Amino acid sequence: MKLRIFKDIEDRRASRTNRFPRSHRLEPTGFVHAFRSDLPSACTLEPGDTIEATTQDASNGKVRSTDDLPGKVAQRPWVNPMTGPIIINDAEPGDALIVETLSIEPLEERGFSWIREDFGALVATTSTALLNAPLPEAVWPYKIRGGKVIFRSRMNDREIILPYRPFLGTIGCATPEEAPHSLIPGRHGGNMDAVDNGVGSFLILPILVPGAYLYFGDAHAVQGDGELCGVAVEISARVRLQIDLIKGRTVRWPMIESADAVMAVGSARPLEDAYRIACKEIVLWLQEEYGFDLLDAYQLASQTLTCRIGNVVDPFYSVVARFPKVFLY
Amino acid sequence: MKLRIFKDIEDRRASRTNRFPRSHRLEPTGFVHAFRSDLPSACTLEPGDTIEATTQDASNGKVRSTDDLPGKVAQRPWVNPMTGPIIINDAEPGDALIVETLSIEPLEERGFSWIREDFGALVATTSTALLNAPLPEAVWPYKIRGGKVIFRSRMNDREIILPYRPFLGTIGCATPEEAPHSLIPGRHGGNMDAVDNGVGSFLILPILVPGAYLYFGDAHAVQGDGELCGVAVEISARVRLQIDLIKGRTVRWPMIESADAVMAVGSARPLEDAYRIACKEIVLWLQEEYGFDLLDAYQLASQTLTCRIGNVVDPFYSVVARFPKVFLY
Amino acid sequence: MKLRIFKDIEDRRASRTNRFPRSHRLEPTGFVHAFRSDLPSACTLEPGDTIEATTQDASNGKVRSTDDLPGKVAQRPWVNPMTGPIIINDAEPGDALIVETLSIEPLEERGFSWIREDFGALVATTSTALLNAPLPEAVWPYKIRGGKVIFRSRMNDREIILPYRPFLGTIGCATPEEAPHSLIPGRHGGNMDAVDNGVGSFLILPILVPGAYLYFGDAHAVQGDGELCGVAVEISARVRLQIDLIKGRTVRWPMIESADAVMAVGSARPLEDAYRIACKEIVLWLQEEYGFDLLDAYQLASQTLTCRIGNVVDPFYSVVARFPKVFLY
Amino acid sequence: MKLRIFKDIEDRRASRTNRFPRSHRLEPTGFVHAFRSDLPSACTLEPGDTIEATTQDASNGKVRSTDDLPGKVAQRPWVNPMTGPIIINDAEPGDALIVETLSIEPLEERGFSWIREDFGALVATTSTALLNAPLPEAVWPYKIRGGKVIFRSRMNDREIILPYRPFLGTIGCATPEEAPHSLIPGRHGGNMDAVDNGVGSFLILPILVPGAYLYFGDAHAVQGDGELCGVAVEISARVRLQIDLIKGRTVRWPMIESADAVMAVGSARPLEDAYRIACKEIVLWLQEEYGFDLLDAYQLASQTLTCRIGNVVDPFYSVVARFPKVFLY
């Protein structure tokens, strides 16, 4: 697939000068909970290289059965562990990082989802702080087999077959001075929980510190829009990614290109601000790359964009605005 | 299509007792701007009847060329005119109304979209009241022909072909005591701008006053998610609807059933509250209709719902949560 | 007190031409739940006249003891009854209405407050729709005597003495075309629950239909900022108001002038939009009345405004931005 | 002043065992932009000690005249520098830190305020991402002398005298794993911009890492509620603080005690969530410290709390809920 997000993107791809792209393998011995720029490299890549790495599930592997209530076994801030940092040679602020998700395989033939007392879009939380009594915590094991993810009712063992549609819930680059927690999405990527960033998609991230310092984890076997209860079908996974750089050109917020669409990811609260960011980035992209004036781009986006809601549960909510490429090519 | 939103819906449909459903035709002589329960009937139907009616576009027909700047020719509250009220015999509070959209045809082979100074998701508005200077107002004419809607750039006449995917932006029933403006969406329906309510879909509305007092208008030839600039491709239209009642059973918020999904529409600000309402209604529906306990329903919805954003511009924002029927049948 | 909200306000006051201001008395025989412009006048005034009227409490007089759980006895939309409409001769769109609150006396030496299942800032509501179980409903009677309002704990009869600081929670003018419910605040005034609009304050409202059609009610003996649980100490009251017009000059949103401050009231969701509206109106007022340029007005307001939160429970939230007059005179 | 926020607070104050409290002096050689727990101590204290330290203004000292437009001279993330970390011996997670502000003196007889292109409550920002053109950037110098802060209009040199009411806009403790930017307020304190935390007030913060790692800066000579334009009258200052510990008892969110009130500070978006957090903490405090049951505490708070808005501009907004001590003692 030839990327079209920027007109000159193929000229700017740093991997063109890497004649011998390599495959790297990373079995991390520890996991990280913040996008830090001061850790030793877990793996160092050249543009064009691929990496195969394992990721730990969002509970740090602590939820293993229906008895492992998350409020007890997986307390913040020690949740949502990430693999990394991956350092990319020659990456500099002003460049963009391209991460193609080649594959995501569960390490075991199962995953877990759960409900936490104070987390999720349909319950009172630490932010939406109310006096109502919490829901009880609960855990759902899911079998994952043959491209299927099987929901089983806690009450009557009824089974419902869902599709296996994996993606990395959390992926992003380090930021200077601060170190945002892995639960937080933003300009740097992070915990976007964007279903659209699945296998075969290209994620484009702004590079904010030399070397990029890429981290990722929080693999999901399947997830509904908004990650309603705050938890997808969480898996530990073997992940293969191909990494590249765009030299001398960057994005303001994460963008995604798939076979049929160019997308932007906005993260903010309230949810309308996440929508605004994502849509504005597509409007500016239409202006910058296709010569539409601002008003024409705004009008065209108004009639063509579709949007999926990434999450309505994390410290900032995420919305993905999608422009179908068919309208331009 | 056999409706499945409620297990006993076919038993409850009032049209079963209407042996001679009729077709009605309505050419309104005036339009209404609020969901009022004190106006004389524009047309009175029995359950099972169909109605063919014309609707006026959202500008009241005032935007007819690029010179008709909306801030001058179409001032609030005299915008978003509705056809109605349609009174449905035997409709009572506690029942639900079913409206199937049979067809929507533009009255002319063209529509209009525009930008208003103080309206839209990417500009300062009367609510998000800021000091920035407004964007200039502008109008875009669209040709509509052969199932296509043609965007033409104001700057360079470049054309882009969009699909004709019509729906009624505004449709709802009267509420007691008050009379909400046609611009406002809520439990009664109203200005939801829900793309999912297209031709072939069934909209289920709560009946709040005897006779239902149905109003509709604001036909859109095509619209992106969220109605980004506040205005879709607005058309005056000839609309055919089939009307039915569910006796003795109702919905709390508008719901939609299509060939492949059951949906709920939430309207509120901020946008996350619209998302919460829509998702909660689907969770409760799984509980009430399919015997899932609350936690199972919450978990299942979390991994399966997709959501489209209706509007991020009206007095309340709208989100549609969609549960794919394939998971249940 | 000489009003200073507009430089030429004393010249514009319509009461100057009313040589014989009269006192009117109104004992309403029924109450109204929406700001309607199509009802017969309950009382017609000349500018400068005073009116003494009774208002019914927000429960419609239905909560009379701790057994009267509000969810049973006072169901929406039949809550928050208003006295009116008061028609003001010569009032026209483009003018402003001035309402001075002269006195508010409770009809009985007691008031009530309560908790509703789905209403209040610290519980899940119909908008912030969650799955948590509701709080139980409860009623608190308060004795009101000698300028004091006495809270008594339900659990142990402990008493705490609060000050009697009455104001009208709901007051506003009719709007054209639509008829907003008495629970809704907005440009027209309405259910602002603004503590700052107490006895001795002047409320300035935009006139939107000929005759103004003023309504009021929802008297509160005392209330904290934001009306946290959704209910103040609610009283039926005898209210005295003096009514005047500003001819040929109006306000965009409700404003208040007291002995020491000029204020603007914004109503919207989310709460930051209510704050934005209120603050913007003060910035524009500094610009229009005092010759500051926009940036200077914005800067000066940033260092001087204080804000009280009217309500965080109604369909729109309200914030009052207060500019101390001492900085200008 | 004897603290009353907790019944047994005087027993729990760690300074009781410090027979020889000392005064420390800190002239920092560098400043920090994140609440990090991995930096060497800038100063180490025993409970009961006082510290006198200088803080740099929010622009890092870069705005020194009307020519220093902030978008050019003070770019994020290199803004809002903090002094610290101050390590407190014996401080452990589960304890609380008490910081009394003894005095704040400007280093020079002047301060600055400014408008940034993309920051402030009345302009489009990076979160509320809109297409409107930005306001021009501008700088206002203020003279500070004799307890007065003098606003001077850019346009006509008109002067308005404001009171000198200084406080630290940013103060907080480090959090484990992550390192939030100094611009972010939260449970740890941070950029709350809470006017109520002035000289003579006691700020109580949860301790989240051993040693507490206290940081502070962002001194304001005066500020309106909400920090409307995003910038108060910013000063570099000489600050004196007295530090103490509460052993074995902590707070969930920052609290403040002054001569006449106990307060809680909530930080979140949207603004209603900040209000909810602050009010809920006061409700729980009434329950935990004064034996009210939950409903009584909720009801009492509803009629008595007043609220000031800290900021409506930072990554999370802040609200302070204030319970007047007169009702309890």
Side-chain angles (χ1 to χ4, degrees), chain B residues 114-138:
Chain B
W114 54 85
I115 294 175
R116 287 190 80 102
E117 276 208 350
D118 58 0
F119 193 66
L122 290 188
V123 296
T125 65
T126 47
S127 299
T128 304
L130 306 178
L131 301 178
N132 303 87
L135 290 191
E137 299 204 326

Side-chain angles (χ1 to χ4, degrees), chain D residues 281-295:
Chain D
E281 289 303 313
I282 294 291
V283 169
L284 296 182
W285 171 80
L286 285 168
Q287 186 184 27
E288 292 163 3
E289 291 296 313
Y290 290 94
F292 291 104
D293 87 313
L294 185 69
L295 297 189

